[in-house]
Amino acid sequence: MAELALHHDWDLDQDPTAFVRASGQLKALDLAVEGAHCARCIAKIENGLKDQPGLKSARLNLSTGRLAILFSGDDVRARDYVRALRTLGYPASPYAPETETSAVSQEEKRLLRAMAVAGFATANVMLLSVSVWSGAGEMGEATQTLFHWISALIVLPTVAYSGRPFFGSAIRALKAKHVNMDVPISLAVFLACGLSLYETVIGKGHTYFDAAAMLLFFLLIGRYLDSRLRARAGQSARHLAAMQAAVAHRVESDGVISAIAARDVIPGDVLLVASGDKVPVDGQLLDPGAELDTSLVTGETVPRQAQTGEALYSGMVNLSHPFKMTATAAREDSLLAEITRLVEAGEQSRSRYVRLADRAANLYVPIVHTLAALTLVGWLVLTQDPRAAILNAIAVLLITCPCALALAVPAVQVVASGRLFKSGILIKSGDALERLAKADYAVFDKTGTLTRGKPRLINTEALPPDALELAAKLARTSRHPLSRAIADAAGMGDTADHLEEIAGGGLKGQIKGVAVAFGSASWMGVEEASSKDNEGFTQEAWLRYGHEAPVRFQFSDALRDDAQTALEGLRQRDFTLELLSGDRPHAAEAIADHLGLERWKGGLKPQDKIARIEALINEGYKPVMVGDGINDAPALAAAYVSISMGSASEVSRSAADLVIQGDHLARIPEAVDIARASQSRILENFALAALYNMIAIPLAVFGFVTPLVAAIAMSASSILVTLNALRLARK
């Protein structure tokens, strides 16, 4: 019978117990939560679950809607947590990153459709309203009543359809015994439509269908923009999830290789990683001489030679021959999964940031409700006329309705985003401008951010004649970063005969019957002689032609042309600067010295960068992180505000708040200027809305404003804040 109850209570594909996994001594469950829109929702969900049996922690990422739960006890407790969330007004289901994009897209489409319907209704009902207004005294009563009925037929279905995002949110808030901005919006729309319908039925007075439709249209614009920007902010975790290998090849005890899902790998399994494949889980190398792309961990583009027994991390790419490894962790406990969790934790901390609009809403809602209630009671006591009391109360709600407040921030964001786009800067987070305006500390990655992330041959003039072309005949066939640097320096040309690339060594072949080799010092049997110079720590490779003495080639990762300009611009704007790099400490020191950076750290892993960011925040700084690598994504998400380069990895671009197109670092100070100007425009808009309310509210309370005039005034206030936002478009 218990099983039958389970089948009735849960869809078998959605039963949360099937998605519970072990996490050390505890159980872990990830849920996709619907309906969370602000920092208050996070607090409500996390606090609402804290008294549940066995719960150890519950952390919600607002951008992705992912609720990470840790608990102890039986797996069946997962159902209790889902039921508790449903009671709080937030339906939840097991989290599936692969379906998250479609869910976000569907939400945006719903808002867009609702906005389109509200816009269509507003345009049409305004035509009817203008006819009624302009024909006052001349239009017959029957015609006027007909126009009112037509307006009702247009607006009432529109309100029922387009108002659902606000009505649903208001109902959830009231069920949880608190109010949000959607409560007065819903109340004003219902009262305006209800009174208008009553006035239409009795055949006298004014109707306010146009005000209800216009209000929904303006507010849906703001809600759609906010949803669009917030959805972009949560893409990084989905990209990271997609980077994890889905399949692993396990070597069975009898030597047979079988393909299994990567999530089924357990510690101790022997795995085979083919050339070009990703390492599926963390492990230990069993074979010698593997060459790996380790940019996930270090951010460096030059492949690393791994020896037997070395630690391997999920997400690394095998650039050489197939090798065997022993799994030391399950997929959910691997480095890439940890980076994903770090990114989400950083995004969550940023989503807890309370926007100016949220703070204004916290003051607005109780004040407006109190004024409207006092107006209703006061007029009932003084006049004993319910109709007059209701009309004046509705006028208060309409004239103070948060249309201007709701547009104060989105209007500025739209204008600022357009200006940033013209300057080659893309903004991806709804509150990024507010945070960038307050930032006071800039942290830079090295490789690919301050430098080009591409090795460059720097001793061309010191090379013997024909040495560059000999090396290029080998290098033109290789994808190794140093080989590409040689090919770029030499240009197009022929290739050597009998070419062979040795994993962990280099290239060898024959040119006119003479053996030629190009590769690392250890492979060539010469002493490594790398050193620092004013362009940063050099890398080297050696060329041997026949029995001639080997020739040393030096490479350096050149600084970006405008790196110094960008740093100086930030210094002028009172920023403190620091370099954090995954490269070797002496390489980071050389770049820091060249750029005049007194604060720097090298040899850092993703967790180290996060620790430094968190330390800065704890010290009271508001750091902006500028990076480009996959290993920078967690730090980008953890920073107060983050910027990525346009050529950066997709994960880093997704984790960042702003993306610099064309990789021009000098645009960062300009972005700071625009952000600070945007903050000023937003504050001015709030001041305009407050001034408007200070003038309009007393008039409405004392009966000098009809709901019709209130609706017009409400629209005028929206236009006013929009025009003020447009001032930002002027340089």
Side-chain angles (χ1 to χ4, degrees):
M1 293 299 292
E3 288 300 317
L4 283 175
L6 169 63
H7 290 185
H8 286 293
D9 200 14
W10 300 99
D11 183 325
L12 288 177
D13 293 333
Q14 295 296 312
D15 182 4
T17 60
F19 294 84
V20 174
R21 66 180 190 279
S23 179
Q25 301 299 317
L26 299 174
K27 305 288 183 65
L29 173 66
D30 292 333
L31 295 173
V33 178
E34 300 176 22
H37 297 293
C38 62
R40 180 181 288 180
C41 294
I42 294 177
K44 180 184 171 187
I45 289 170
E46 294 180 358
N47 293 334
L49 289 176
K50 66 181 181 181
D51 294 329
Q52 288 292 316
L55 188 75
K56 301 300 180 182
S57 71
R59 304 293 299 274
L60 175 66
N61 183 321
L62 188 64
S63 297
T64 62
R66 178 177 180 173
L67 177 66
I69 293 176
L70 286 176
F71 67 97
S72 61
D74 198 331
D75 291 0
V76 75
R77 284 183 171 170
R79 300 174 195 156
D80 297 332
Y81 303 145
V82 173
R83 290 190 186 99
L85 287 167
R86 192 180 301 155
T87 302
L88 290 170
Y90 298 93
S93 59
Y95 180 81
E98 61 274 11
T99 64
E100 205 53 28
T101 302
S102 60
V104 170
S105 177
Q106 288 174 6
E107 174 64 19
E108 289 182 2
K109 288 178 180 177
R110 282 194 292 268
L111 287 172
L112 194 59
R113 286 194 295 267
M115 184 172 63
V117 171
F120 175 81
T122 299
N124 284 277
V125 80
M126 284 301 295
L127 291 175
L128 297 170
S129 298
V130 169
S131 300
V132 173
W133 301 340
S134 61
E138 299 180 7
M139 182 179 290
E141 184 176 327
T143 304
Q144 184 174 337
T145 301
L146 175 62
F147 277 27
H148 287 166
W149 276 113
I150 295 174
S151 298
L153 290 173
I154 294 173
V155 172
L156 293 180
T158 297
V159 167
Y161 178 79
S162 297
R164 290 181 301 170
F166 307 102
F167 304 155
S169 174
I171 291 171
R172 286 194 297 269
L174 292 174
K175 282 183 177 179
K177 300 179 181 178
H178 77 268
V179 294
N180 58 16
M181 280 287 280
D182 293 332
V183 173
I185 291 171
S186 302
L187 186 59
V189 170
F190 274 125
L191 287 176
C193 290
L195 180 63
S196 299
L197 188 60
Y198 172 75
E199 297 284 307
T200 301
V201 170
I202 65 175
K204 66 175 183 178
H206 298 288
T207 61
Y208 316 103
F209 294 116
D210 51 347
M214 187 184 302
L215 175 62
L216 285 177
F217 178 56
F218 279 132
L219 293 176
L220 282 166
I221 292 174
R223 184 64 57 90
Y224 174 77
L225 291 174
D226 182 72
S227 175
R228 183 78 174 166
L229 291 171
R230 187 160 50 85
R232 290 181 184 177
Q235 290 177 345
S236 53
R238 292 190 289 273
H239 288 313
L240 278 167
M243 290 183 63
Q244 291 184 291
V247 177
H249 295 88
R250 183 168 60 195
V251 182
E252 307 293 352
S253 57
D254 58 0
V256 175
I257 298 173
S258 58
I260 62 172
R263 63 176 177 270
D264 294 333
V265 173
I266 60 174
D269 282 349
V270 176
L271 307 176
L272 178 68
V273 181
S275 178
D277 281 358
K278 298 173 184 175
V279 175
V281 297
D282 293 358
Q284 200 170 36
L285 182 63
L286 295 178
D287 295 332
E291 189 173 39
L292 298 164
D293 176 356
T294 64
S295 58
L296 173 68
V297 179
T298 66
E300 301 307 306
T301 55
V302 177
R304 179 170 68 83
Q305 309 302 319
Q307 302 304 320
T308 303
E310 263 192 64
L312 305 178
Y313 297 101
S314 61
M316 290 182 171
V317 179
N318 179 15
L319 300 177
S320 59
H321 53 77
F323 61 76
K324 292 179 182 178
M325 60 173 284
T326 302
T328 57
R331 180 182 178 184
E332 289 301 320
D333 299 320
S334 64
L335 176 68
L336 193 55
E338 176 63 19
I339 289 178
T340 303
R341 287 191 285 269
L342 291 171
V343 169
E344 291 198 342
E347 288 178 342
Q348 178 195 13
S349 65
R350 285 204 308 230
S351 67
R352 289 176 178 273
Y353 173 79
V354 181
R355 304 184 195 185
L356 284 172
D358 292 337
R359 293 197 290 272
N362 290 336
L363 295 173
Y364 170 88
V365 174
I367 291 174
V368 168
H369 284 178
T370 302
L371 286 172
L374 290 175
T375 301
L376 178 65
V377 173
W379 278 91
L380 279 173
V381 172
L382 292 175
T383 66
Q384 307 296 317
D385 183 356
R387 183 175 181 276
I390 293 173
L391 281 173
N392 289 323
I394 291 177
V396 171
L397 283 172
L398 285 177
I399 208 164
T400 60
C401 210
C403 204
L405 186 63
L407 285 175
V409 176
V412 172
Q413 285 178 342
V414 170
V415 177
S417 297
R419 182 170 167 187
L420 286 168
F421 179 76
K422 290 179 181 177
S423 299
I425 306 165
L426 300 179
I427 179 171
K428 299 173 57 272
S429 176
D431 54 8
L433 289 174
E434 290 184 42
R435 287 183 277 117
L436 183 59
K438 297 178 180 179
D440 54 10
Y441 200 107
V443 177
F444 285 86
D445 174 49
K446 180 181 77 69
T447 306
T449 302
L450 291 174
T451 68
R452 297 183 182 278
K454 183 179 179 181
R456 176 176 65 91
L457 184 64
I458 60 172
N459 67 332
T460 307
E461 296 180 357
L463 296 173
D466 299 328
L468 177 59
E469 181 58 29
L470 290 173
K473 288 181 182 294
L474 295 172
R476 289 185 181 113
T477 64
S478 173
R479 298 184 60 189
H480 192 284
L482 299 187
S483 296
R484 291 199 295 267
I486 289 290
D488 290 342
M492 302 293 289
D494 299 331
T495 60
D497 300 323
H498 308 296
L499 273 167
E500 184 179 356
E501 186 162 0
I502 308 301
L507 299 156
K508 65 180 183 179
Q510 291 187 352
I511 298 176
K512 297 181 179 179
V514 179
V516 59
F518 179 76
S520 65
S522 58
W523 184 59
M524 301 287 285
V526 299
E527 184 179 353
E528 188 172 359
S530 297
S531 63
K532 289 191 290 183
D533 60 22
N534 61 1
E535 293 186 85
F537 186 77
T538 60
Q539 296 168 309
E540 64 176 17
W542 294 80
L543 172 72
R544 175 177 276 130
Y545 181 68
H547 297 289
E548 296 181 8
V551 177
R552 181 188 181 210
F553 287 71
Q554 288 180 285
F555 304 85
S556 177
D557 189 3
L559 284 169
R560 294 190 184 277
D561 297 336
D562 58 353
Q564 193 70 263
T565 303
L567 297 183
E568 185 57 35
L570 290 173
R571 288 190 185 99
Q572 292 173 2
R573 290 158 179 81
D574 300 322
F575 276 78
T576 304
L577 307 177
E578 183 170 349
L579 171 67
L580 298 180
S581 175
D583 202 357
R584 294 156 292 188
H586 43 285
E589 182 182 9
I591 294 295
D593 289 343
H594 185 74
L595 292 172
L597 297 172
E598 297 180 359
R599 304 187 182 196
W600 63 271
K601 290 180 182 294
L604 302 180
K605 290 186 177 180
Q607 296 90 332
D608 301 324
K609 292 186 178 183
I610 288 181
R612 179 56 183 158
I613 293 292
E614 291 176 344
L616 290 172
I617 293 174
N618 291 334
E619 292 171 18
Y621 290 106
K622 295 179 174 63
V624 52
M625 173 72 190
V626 186
D628 79 308
I630 296 172
N631 65 317
D632 294 321
L636 289 167
Y640 187 72
V641 62
S642 54
I643 300 175
S644 180
M645 312 304 291
S647 61
S649 67
E650 189 172 14
V651 173
S652 292
R653 292 199 307 272
S654 297
D657 294 307
L658 297 99
V659 176
I660 307 295
Q661 297 296 308
D663 295 344
H664 297 297
L665 286 172
R667 289 173 177 164
I668 295 177
E670 182 181 358
V672 172
D673 290 339
I674 295 175
R676 291 176 177 176
S678 299
Q679 187 81 346
S680 298
R681 295 292 91 77
I682 290 172
L683 292 174
E684 288 170 4
N685 277 350
F686 286 145
L688 287 171
L691 179 63
Y692 156 79
N693 282 325
M694 288 172 62
I695 297 172
I697 289 175
L699 296 175
V701 169
F702 291 108
F704 295 108
V705 177
T706 66
L708 176 61
V709 175
I712 297 172
M714 177 268 294
S715 302
S717 67
S718 302
I719 294 171
L720 185 62
V721 298
T722 303
L723 291 176
N724 184 57
L726 289 172
R727 292 173 53 217
L728 187 63
R730 300 198 302 268
K731 292 187 178 181

